[in-house]
Structure formats: structure tokens, C-alpha cells
Amino acid sequence: MKCEVKRAGIVGVGAYVPERVMTNFELQDIVDTSDEWIRSRSGIRERRVVARDEATSDMALKASRKALDDAGVSPEELDLIIIATNTPDMLFPASACLLQDGLGAKNAGAFDLLAGCTGFIYGMSVAAQFIAAGTARTVLVTGAETMTSILNWQDRNTCVLFGDGAGAVVMKPVPEDRGILSVVLGSDGSGGKFLKIPAGGSRLPASADTVAGALHSLQMNGREVYKFAVRAMEEGSSAVLRRAGLTVDDVDFMVPHQANIRIIEHAAKKLNLPMERVAVNVDRYGNTSTASVPLALEESLRAGKIKDGDNVIMVGFGAGLTWAGLLIKWYSE
Ligand code: UT7
């Protein structure tokens, strides 16, 4: 029996970052840190911060409209909307439903996906399955985060690292010799304790004590996450290449999760890629979690760094702990 699987690709990309820039120098007035420490340990110079009335679904809406325009797709054509986020507007309804309403995408199902900073790559892989199965033809995948809303501004270990933003892609079936070649998803829940927001869920509901203890803010063991990240980036890239029957020599461009320039440089070295063929925006946006990969992808496309037929590898890691790799043969009409 011949089973016809449709291969999914990206047909439109959009990005949005808030206007407000917060430099490392501004942070020096908030916590005991320095521009020198932040730049040398993470590569970050500045990040974007949402306006007072701006939340995750607002940024997702702006990025999504651009992605739809880029794809020449109307909101009504969307079958499915996925927002990968760790900072939804509220616990429920899903931010994806708020986005669906904002877009007027009246024919689309919508849900949020929670997989730490790896969420966007997870989201793309879910979209690819829907498209391959023929259950959906046109899917919007967004990575959107208001990380500054969950930071403890007294914790210098974390508050200097993150920023806000959103990126979106429209995915559809593409010609057989283009699109997603392989995907690998991984998780290690035993490391969940290294990166978390302890309260606000069913385990530790919100109370005066949880607020007083700053338990609604992000907590991280940076060293442990760093060790995991380095392994995850290596494993994520080698596993997707193995699955696709390709080697490091076949990779044209890498779009890694933007958490720390040292982690990105390590991953580039393992893939034998010069930094010109690696997307980097951590210096300007910090770690925007699920938004980092689509933001970096959009920037690289706009700069003409990715062309039709290129093998592009996306790799990421994050809370969960989770990691993922995705290899896509770029399609442009
Ligand atoms: O998307 C996933 C999210 N997370 C990550 O990807 C984070 C992965 N981890 C990292 O990127 C790095 O571990 C960090 C950037 C967080 C830290 O860099 P590091 O080189 O691993 O530094 P460290 O944790 O070993 O800390 C070195 C020192 C410590 O002081 P002591 O204990 O050696 O006296 C910290 O207290 O730097 C101190 N420190 C700071 N100093 C100035 C920590 N944060 C700051 C700060 N400014 N903001």
C-alpha cells in the first residue's frame, strides 16, 4: 500500500519585538551587576521589554499578521493555531484562542503548547504531523513570550538574561524535495527542578505566602542548565542529521535557541559551521524563550542568509528539561 505523506514547510515568517530597549547599563541600577559581566558570560547587550498594556497574545498577533502577509494566506484559511509559550496572558483560556479571535481565524482550532524554550520547535513538529496526516493544511505556529513579567528583579542570576518578543511561521505542504526532513524531541523531567516557577499551579496555588516568597517568578540553576544545554545542542543536531541520513557537511545554516552566545558558539563548532552561517540575536534581545528561534529565523531570512534548497537546522533546549532538533530543506517560491 502506498501511503502518501505530505511534507510540511514554512511559507511565511513574521516577527515582532516591543519598542522599549533595556540596556545592561539600566540593569546596573536595579541589581548588583555590570555590563561587562552580562556581556562576557552571556553575550547579551540589551533586551526588549513590553509596554504596560502589552501581553503575550498582543505580540503574537503582530508577528502572526506579518507571517500571514508574508505567506499570502488569509486568517480564514488557517486550520490550526499553536502558540508555544511559557508566559500566556493568563492560565486559561489559551493565548492561542485569544490570537484566533484577534486574527478572525474562524476556521481554526487553537491551543497553547508548553515545552520551555524548546516550545517553538515542538510546535513546528506538531504542525508537521497534522500536515503530513492531512488533518490540517495550513497551520500558524507562534513563539511568544513576556519573560519580563515572570522575572524576579532582585535576582541577578536570572533577571539580566531574558527579554520579550514574538515570532510566527505559517506552515503548509511543500514540494516533495523541500520541507521538514527530520525532527527529534527529547525530555528529561528529572531536571525540571533546575528551571521553574514554583507557585501558581495546582501544587502550590497562589497565596499571600507564595507572593511574599517570590515563588511566582522564574528560578534557575544556571550552571546545571548550561551543562544540559551544551549536551542537548550537540545531541539535537547530531540526532536530526542521523535521522535524515545526512552529516554535518550537509548543513548550510543553523538557527539555535538564543540563550547564551557561549552555548551557540559551542554548537556551531560541533557542526563545523562558521559563525556567519549561524543566526545570532541574543546580543540584542537576550533570551526570548520560545520566540528566540522564529525571531532569529526571520532576521536571517531578511538578511538573505537562507535560500531555497538550503539545509537549515534548528536546535533548542529549555525548561522541562526539554530539547529538540529540526532539519528543514528551505523552500521559497
Ligand atoms: O533557555 C534556557 C534558559 N537558561 C539558560 O540557558 C541558562 C544557561 N546558563 C547560563 O547561560 C550561564 O550559566 C549563566 C549566564 C546563567 C551564568 O554564567 P556562568 O559562567 O555559568 O556563571 P556562574 O553561574 O558560574 O556564576 C559566576 C558568578 C557567581 O558568583 P560566585 O558564586 O562565583 O561568587 C554569581 O553569583 O557570577 C555571579 N553572578 C553575577 N555577577 C554579576 C551571577 N549573576 C550575576 C550578575 N552579575 N548578573
Side-chain angles (χ1 to χ4, degrees), residues 7-247:
R7 191 174 268 177
I10 294 174
V11 296
V13 183
Y16 169 80
V17 288
E19 259 170 50
R20 185 167 173 232
V21 176
M22 185 189 263
T23 64
N24 291 346
F25 295 102
E26 258 184 88
L27 282 164
Q28 287 181 187
D29 297 333
I30 302 174
V31 282
D32 180 15
T33 190
S34 66
D35 172 59
E36 204 285 314
W37 189 96
I38 302 170
R39 268 190 299 111
S40 63
R41 299 299 174 110
S42 71
I44 300 166
R45 280 191 286 122
E46 58 189 42
R47 71 284 296 138
R48 298 299 176 103
V49 180
V50 281
R52 255 183 214 295
D53 60 350
E54 206 170 23
T56 293
S57 72
D58 302 320
M59 291 190 287
L61 181 60
K62 288 181 176 148
S64 299
R65 282 192 174 133
K66 288 186 192 165
L68 288 170
D69 270 1
D70 188 38
V73 163
S74 72
E76 292 80 12
E77 284 174 71
L78 290 175
D79 300 311
L80 183 64
I81 297 173
I82 302 171
I83 297 190
T85 187
N86 303 280
T87 52
D89 289 28
M90 55 196 98
L91 272 181
F92 65 83
S95 296
C97 293
L98 305 176
L99 174 61
Q100 177 272 334
D101 184 44
L103 287 171
K106 51 180 190 286
N107 300 311
F111 63 86
D112 288 4
L113 188 153
L114 183 67
C117 299
T118 326
F120 180 77
I121 302 178
Y122 266 64
M124 274 192 64
S125 82
V126 173
Q129 309 310 310
F130 271 88
I131 290 167
T135 323
R137 188 174 160 77
T138 312
V139 183
L140 176 69
V141 183
T142 305
E145 299 285 6
T146 314
M147 294 304 287
T148 56
S149 70
I150 56 162
L151 295 176
N152 175 350
W153 292 96
Q154 287 167 358
D155 177 12
R156 69 175 185 174
N157 291 294
T158 53
C159 76
V160 303
L161 300 174
F162 297 90
D164 303 331
V169 297
V170 177
M171 293 177 64
K172 280 178 91 153
V174 292
E176 235 171 75
D177 58 346
R178 294 289 186 272
I180 294 179
L181 304 177
S182 60
V183 185
V184 178
L185 306 181
S187 68
D188 176 8
S190 72
K193 55 183 177 288
F194 297 134
L195 183 49
K196 63 180 180 183
I197 296 180
S202 56
R203 179 75 59 195
L204 205 50
S207 69
D209 286 346
T210 60
V211 173
L215 300 180
H216 296 277
S217 306
L218 178 151
Q219 297 180 351
M220 180 173 73
N221 180 329
R223 277 179 212 180
E224 288 298 333
V225 177
Y226 191 98
K227 279 192 268 173
F228 171 78
V230 167
R231 282 199 315 272
M233 295 295 250
E234 276 181 46
E235 180 54 22
S237 348
S238 56
V240 275
L241 285 171
R242 256 194 327 269
R243 250 179 217 193
L246 298 177
T247 71

